[in-house]
Amino acid sequence: MGDGRWKRRLVTAAVAVGTAGAGVLGTSTPSQAAVGVAAPYVDMSNSQVGLLDQAAGAGLTHYTAAFVIGSGCNQIWGDTLPVGNDPNVDGEIDKARSEGAEPIISSGGAAGLPLAWTCTDQNTIVAGYQALIDTYQVRSLDFDIEGAAIADTASIQRHFAAVKTLQTNNPGLTVSVTLPVLPSGLTGDGVNLVRAAHDAGVKIDVVNLMTMDYYQGDQDMGQAAENATDATLGQLQGIDGSYSYANLGITPMIGVNDDGSVFTLDNARSVASWAAGKGVGRLSFWSIDRDQSCGSVAAEAHPDASSTCSGVDQNPLDFTTALS
C-alpha cells in the first residue's frame, strides 16, 4: 500500500470502532491494539510524520507504523536503517507513545516484503518477528502482503508457521494480515493465503482489506468498501465458520487514489457508521501523512496521488476524526 515512493502505504488511525463519530479517543489497553479499534497507518519515513504528533496530541490512541521490511535475514525500516537502531523512527515511536498513542508494527508494503519472504531460516524468522514485539513493546503485528508475494506459497507457509510459534510464545498477541481487495472480495490468491493460515492452525485476528485502487472506473468508494467487506466475510466463513466482522479491517486510501478514484470525507463518515453497526474489528486508512489538503504542503511530481496530502479540500486530520 502507499503512494508515490511506496505505492499504497497505509496509516491506520487507531480508535475504537464503537466510538465512531465521537472523536479520536480509543478504548484499547496500552501496548495492545486488538480487534475493535481504529488504527490508521503512518508512513514512518514520510516528511509529514509530524501529523502523527498532532493526532496523538488530539487523543489518538493507536496507529499502524509502516513499514518494516526484510533485507535477507535482517529487518530494516523503509529508510534502510535497522529495527531498533533507527533514531528517527524509534524517536517518533517514543514520542507518540509518550503522548498516549501505541503502535502496531507493520511489515511489508507494496515496495517491501516481510521477513518470511526474504529469509528461509525458520528460527531466524521467528526471532526477527519476536524482536519487533520486544524492541517496541507491542502486542500487535501487521503484515502487508501485496504483489507477487501474495502467491508465494513457500514464504506464506514459513510466515504462518512463525506466527503460530509467536502466538504460543506471546499469549494475547494480535496478528493482522493486510491484503488487496476488490468490491467483489479477496482475489483467489488472497483466499488461498487465508486458507494457508487455517491449514497452519492460525486464525488471523484481523484480515485487513485495502479498499482502494480498484482500477474499475469511477464509483462510490464508500459503498465499494462496504461491498468488499461483506463479500470477504463470506469468503472467510467458507474457510472457517467462526470468522465474523470482528475479524475484518477496512483500510481506504483517503482522498485521491492512485487510480484517480476519490474516497471523500462523506465516504469516510458513512463507512465509519456502517462499520460500527456491523462490529468491524479495525478501521484504518492510508495515511495520516496524507490527512491534510495539498495546499498545506509543497507540490509533488504527482499531486493527484500525493504521499503528503489527500488531494481534496479538508482541514488537517479531518479523515482521522471521521474514521474514528
Side-chain angles (χ1 to χ4, degrees):
M1 209 186 291
D3 40 72
R5 197 164 51 86
W6 282 55
K7 198 166 185 177
R8 301 183 76 188
R9 277 177 202 152
L10 299 171
V11 175
T12 320
V15 180
V17 171
T19 63
V24 292
L25 293 175
T27 58
S28 294
T29 56
S31 299
Q32 183 170 3
V35 294
V37 303
Y41 280 81
V42 177
D43 178 355
M44 303 305 293
S45 303
N46 189 288
S47 62
Q48 300 302 312
V49 74
L51 283 170
L52 169 60
D53 298 326
Q54 294 181 37
L60 182 73
T61 60
H62 293 91
Y63 64 99
T64 304
F67 284 109
V68 170
I69 61 176
S71 178
C73 283
N74 297 309
Q75 293 181 113
I76 60 176
W77 285 99
D79 57 7
T80 75
L81 293 176
V83 165
N85 193 27
D86 185 326
N88 292 323
V89 172
D90 295 351
E92 289 158 358
I93 289 174
D94 288 344
K95 184 176 182 182
R97 176 170 276 143
S98 73
E99 296 169 335
E102 291 290 328
I104 299 169
I105 303 298
S106 183
S107 298
L113 298 166
L115 188 61
W117 277 256
T118 64
C119 180
T120 59
D121 184 86
Q122 197 66 39
N123 290 334
T124 301
I125 295 166
V126 172
Y129 291 166
Q130 185 67 49
L132 298 178
I133 297 169
D134 295 341
T135 299
Y136 297 108
Q137 293 297 294
V138 295
R139 302 296 295 170
S140 189
L141 299 178
D142 174 63
F143 298 93
D144 183 315
I145 303 168
E146 304 182 40
I150 201 171
D152 185 342
T153 56
S155 297
I156 290 168
Q157 288 172 354
R158 290 194 297 267
H159 176 72
F160 285 115
V163 168
K164 185 171 179 61
T165 300
L166 289 172
Q167 290 178 327
T168 298
N169 295 342
N170 301 271
L173 176 69
T174 297
V175 174
S176 57
V177 176
T178 297
L179 300 173
V181 72
L182 295 170
S184 57
L186 294 172
T187 65
D189 287 332
V191 172
N192 289 339
L193 183 144
V194 177
R195 185 173 289 111
H198 179 74
D199 292 345
V202 172
K203 181 176 179 181
I204 302 168
D205 295 293
V206 178
V207 178
N208 185 35
L209 308 178
M210 290 187 282
T211 55
M212 61 181 80
D213 287 340
Y214 303 124
Y215 290 92
Q216 293 183 339
D218 187 37
Q219 61 186 305
D220 183 322
M221 292 295 282
Q223 187 62 57
E226 295 168 17
N227 291 346
T229 307
D230 280 337
T232 299
L233 178 58
Q235 293 170 313
L236 298 184
Q237 290 179 336
I239 297 169
D240 179 345
S242 69
Y243 275 104
S244 71
Y245 283 106
N247 301 113
L248 286 167
I250 302 174
T251 301
M253 182 174 178
I254 58 174
V256 179
N257 283 221
D258 297 294
D259 66 354
S261 57
V262 181
F263 185 86
T264 67
L265 276 166
D266 283 343
N267 290 152
R269 296 182 188 106
S270 65
V271 167
S273 177
W274 183 86
K278 294 291 188 179
V280 168
R282 186 176 297 172
L283 197 57
S284 307
F285 64 90
W286 184 263
S287 65
I288 284 179
D289 314 80
R290 304 181 74 244
D291 198 3
Q292 59 185 337
S293 71
C294 291
S296 305
V297 295
E300 294 188 340
H302 302 288
D304 287 345
S306 169
S307 63
T308 59
C309 57
S310 66
V312 299
D313 186 21
Q314 65 159 110
N315 295 315
L317 301 179
D318 272 353
F319 281 97
T320 301
T321 299
L323 288 165
S324 299

